[in-house]
Amino acid sequence: MKAAVMLNTQNQTAPAPLHRCNIIVDSNTHRPDLFAAQLPETGDTALVSEAMLPQIRAVATLIAAMRHSFDTTSPNVFTEEADWFAARIIVLGVRRFHLDITMLPILNLANQRAQAFAAALKLPFVPAQMRMSLHAGRPANLLIVETEHHLASAGNIVADSLALAARLPKIFG
């Protein structure tokens, strides 16, 4: 019995450590209010521009397309907030979002949509969790995430964004 228990624990792998990253959500066309904010100070944590990661927009659009009927014209706003969160889960491998508690329903919906998308494409899926965080004083366009991708800050948004883009897995081919 002890040997079976020991074997079982030897086959388990420890979860990968998570690394914090600050994302400027400057590519969400359904939220024009996010374009006006200035870049925040993030200290030694990487600051990434979502606009420089086109995979997120592509996956958010594909996730939205899965639920739209094409018997009629497409809606004026094609993607929703949950589509973008789902795309971040799939593309960036986000394991934890630092969000206000009011965002929990959106995160739950995002996990459902990400899981359905991952299943359709036979991609691995790990649902994202929420770390409750106060948003007082945080710019509206700043999203704090934790992912398995380690990213040391180079000190500027372009270098940090390019470094993260180079680490992202190829989802389509």
Side-chain angles (χ1 to χ4, degrees):
M1 182 71 157
K2 273 188 176 180
V5 171
M6 286 177 53
L7 241 161
N8 190 19
T9 56
Q10 288 175 351
N11 290 336
Q12 294 176 353
T13 57
L18 297 178
H19 307 280
R20 187 177 287 193
C21 178
N22 296 300
I23 301 175
I24 300 296
V25 288
D26 50 0
S27 62
N28 299 352
T29 57
H30 67 285
R31 291 282 311 272
D33 58 305
L34 299 179
F35 296 119
Q38 290 192 357
L39 295 180
E41 277 295 319
T42 60
D44 61 350
T45 304
L47 182 62
V48 173
S49 170
E50 191 169 80
M52 293 184 70
L53 304 172
Q55 305 93 317
I56 296 173
R57 177 184 300 278
V59 171
T61 303
L62 289 171
I63 289 170
M66 289 176 65
R67 69 171 191 285
H68 288 301
S69 168
F70 291 101
D71 296 338
T72 61
T73 58
S74 61
N76 289 338
V77 178
F78 195 75
T79 59
E80 300 172 351
E81 194 79 20
D83 300 323
W84 286 87
F85 275 96
R88 293 173 188 123
I89 294 166
I90 297 290
V91 175
L92 301 176
V94 174
R95 300 295 182 255
R96 217 176 273 134
F97 289 97
H98 292 240
L99 300 170
D100 185 87
I101 190 67
T102 60
M103 296 293 290
L104 187 57
I106 291 174
L107 182 58
N108 289 336
L109 182 57
N111 274 318
Q112 291 170 4
R113 290 181 182 175
Q115 184 175 24
F117 182 80
L121 273 69
K122 296 178 177 43
L123 297 171
F125 173 73
V126 176
Q129 300 172 343
M130 174 187 282
R131 173 158 290 165
M132 289 184 276
S133 174
L134 297 176
H135 283 261
R138 185 187 308 171
N141 65 342
L142 180 69
L143 184 61
I144 300 172
V145 303
E146 293 180 41
T147 178
E148 291 179 4
H149 300 290
H150 182 271
L151 188 62
S153 177
N156 74 59
I157 193 168
V158 174
D160 290 351
S161 300
L162 292 174
L164 180 57
R167 286 181 170 77
L168 297 180
K170 303 278 188 238
I171 294 176
F172 309 109

